[in-house]
């Protein structure tokens, strides 16, 4: 009974009609957005580096925690010995000032922490947000009011301040990446719950949902079979935009000293140690900052591409790398391709 994931737009109207092959239509639209495809390739490469970090560092012959005192110049305050921060055949990106730890190994393992925390926190946010949003829309008026007020409180909470407070009081023995994941996930689900609630209320009025209700289906069977497929597009879209936001939050928490603790590397933690080395050893600051910038940018562009591919009626906010077909003028056979 339910519609497919992606709907087409009827010619000459603004009305969406169900597509016969939703997934195929989605991939066809996404392929026309070259910027999104390039961003997807960058994200895939970053994920591959994060997953293969042990293999890559073994190939280099280094690890992220071993100190190399012989590779730093103590007379100059701990600046790496050699050109470009100590880059050579054994240390592909040079070494860390004062400690001599390998920068490539720390960046690769830092990607595992930053991407892993962001993705896991997004899963927690989506799970809670979808559950609360659907329950609020399908529940009684009392349940809806209660869950909506709780959601409003969560949305009104300043994420960074609450995260700083919670992370500061938790015992140091608790695994820090898991703690950061839980804190970000448990505080940041409010907006997706609001989106899901509003979309569920809209879907409740559609004919196929009414037909399922008249057929005697229960509330949760209708939610599972009829509503959740219709919620897939907005949930996927918002989730794609949540990941770069969570990466930035994790980096900010680590930069402020309440995130992942040494010796576990993360990009935000590396920035914390690098802020005094931007003149003596600029690569120590530029490498993690560049990795964060590229990751957040690629995920944002990919999220925008997914959003516009799932909803063809919504124009992309990013014009670079997209091909737009204009509506044919009267009396012509072909549209002008921009």
């Amino acid at each position: 009974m339910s519609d497919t994931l992606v709907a087409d737009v009827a010619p000459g109207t603004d009305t969406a009609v169900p597509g016969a092959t939703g997934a195929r239509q989605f991939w066809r639209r996404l392929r026309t957005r070259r910027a999104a495809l390039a961003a997807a390739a960058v994200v895939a490469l970053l994920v591959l580096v994060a997953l293969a970090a042990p293999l890559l560092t073994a190939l280099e012959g280094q690890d992220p925690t071993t100190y190399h005192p012989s590779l730093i110049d103590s007379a100059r305050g701990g600046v790496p010995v050699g050109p470009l921060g100590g880059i050579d055949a054994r240390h592909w990106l040079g070494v860390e000032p004062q400690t001599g730890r390998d920068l490539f190994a720390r960046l690769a393992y830092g990607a595992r922490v930053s991407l892993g925390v962001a993705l896991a926190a997004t899963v927690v946010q989506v799970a809670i947000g979808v559950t609360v949003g659907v329950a609020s829309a399908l529940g009684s008026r009392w349940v809806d009011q209660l869950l909506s007020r709780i959601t409003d409180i969560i949305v009104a909470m300043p994420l960074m301040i609450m995260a700083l407070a919670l992370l500061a009081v938790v015992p140091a023995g608790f695994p820090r990446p898991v703690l950061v994941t839980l804190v970000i996930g448990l505080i940041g689900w409010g907006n997706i719950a609001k989106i899901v609630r509003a979309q569920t209320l809209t879907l409740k009025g559609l004919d196929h949902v009414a037909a399922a209700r008249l057929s005697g289906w229960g509330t949760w069977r209708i939610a599972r079979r009829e509503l959740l497929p219709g919620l897939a597009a907005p949930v996927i879209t918002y989730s794609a935009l949540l990941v770069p936001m969570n990466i930035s939050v994790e980096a900010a928490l680590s930069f402020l000293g309440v995130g992942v603790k040494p010796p576990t590397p993360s990009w935000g933690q590396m920035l914390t140690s690098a802020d005094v080395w931007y003149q003596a050893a600029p690569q120590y600051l530029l490498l993690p900052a560049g990795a964060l910038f590229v990751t957040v940018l690629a995920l944002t562009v990919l999220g925008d591409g997914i959003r516009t591919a799932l909803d063809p009626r919504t124009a992309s906010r990013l014009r670079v790398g997209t091909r737009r077909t204009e509506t044919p003028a009267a009396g012509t056979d072909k549209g002008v391709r921009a």
Side-chain angles (χ1 to χ4, degrees), residues 128-153:
I128 298 176
V130 170
T131 302
V132 173
V134 171
S136 178
L138 297 182
S140 63
R141 183 175 181 181
W142 182 85
V143 171
D144 185 26
Q145 289 290 327
L146 175 63
L147 293 178
S148 295
R149 298 295 77 78
I150 294 175
T151 303
D152 290 338
I153 293 173

Side-chain angles (χ1 to χ4, degrees), residues 101-308:
R101 292 182 293 194
D102 185 76
L103 273 182
F104 175 79
R106 294 188 65 76
L107 278 175
Y109 275 89
R112 305 185 93 188
V113 173
S114 296
L115 291 174
V117 167
L119 291 172
T122 300
V123 171
V124 174
Q125 291 169 333
V126 170
I128 298 176
V130 170
T131 302
V132 173
V134 171
S136 178
L138 297 182
S140 63
R141 183 175 181 181
W142 182 85
V143 171
D144 185 26
Q145 289 290 327
L146 175 63
L147 293 178
S148 295
R149 298 295 77 78
I150 294 175
T151 303
D152 290 338
I153 293 173
I154 292 295
V155 171
M157 284 183 177
L159 175 60
M160 289 299 300
I161 295 177
M162 292 300 300
L164 286 170
L166 291 174
L167 291 169
V169 299
V170 175
F174 195 90
R176 216 62 181 183
V178 176
L179 178 60
V180 174
T181 298
L182 292 176
V183 168
I184 297 175
L186 295 176
I187 297 177
W189 55 265
N191 286 324
I192 195 168
K194 283 181 168 292
I195 293 172
V196 169
R197 177 184 177 275
Q199 188 70 16
T200 303
L201 290 175
T202 301
L203 293 173
K204 282 174 62 177
L206 298 181
D207 291 341
H208 66 87
V209 178
R213 190 181 299 112
L214 291 175
S215 299
W217 288 12
T219 300
W220 294 110
R221 186 182 180 188
I222 293 175
R224 186 178 69 254
R225 298 287 298 275
E226 303 297 333
L227 297 179
L228 289 181
L231 293 172
V235 168
I236 292 173
T237 299
Y238 193 72
S239 300
L241 298 176
L242 271 177
V243 176
M245 185 187 308
N246 290 337
I247 288 178
S248 301
V249 172
E250 185 279 326
L253 291 173
S254 296
F255 179 79
L256 294 174
V258 294
V260 177
K261 298 293 185 181
T264 303
S266 78
W267 293 342
Q269 179 199 110
M270 293 175 70
L271 287 174
T272 304
S273 305
D275 59 353
V276 297
W277 293 98
Y278 64 93
Q279 289 183 331
Q283 81 286 345
Y284 186 35
L285 176 65
L286 294 177
L287 287 173
L292 274 172
F293 175 77
V294 170
T295 303
V296 172
L297 178 62
L299 286 168
T300 302
V301 173
L302 179 60
D304 182 82
I306 291 174
R307 179 181 64 85
T308 52

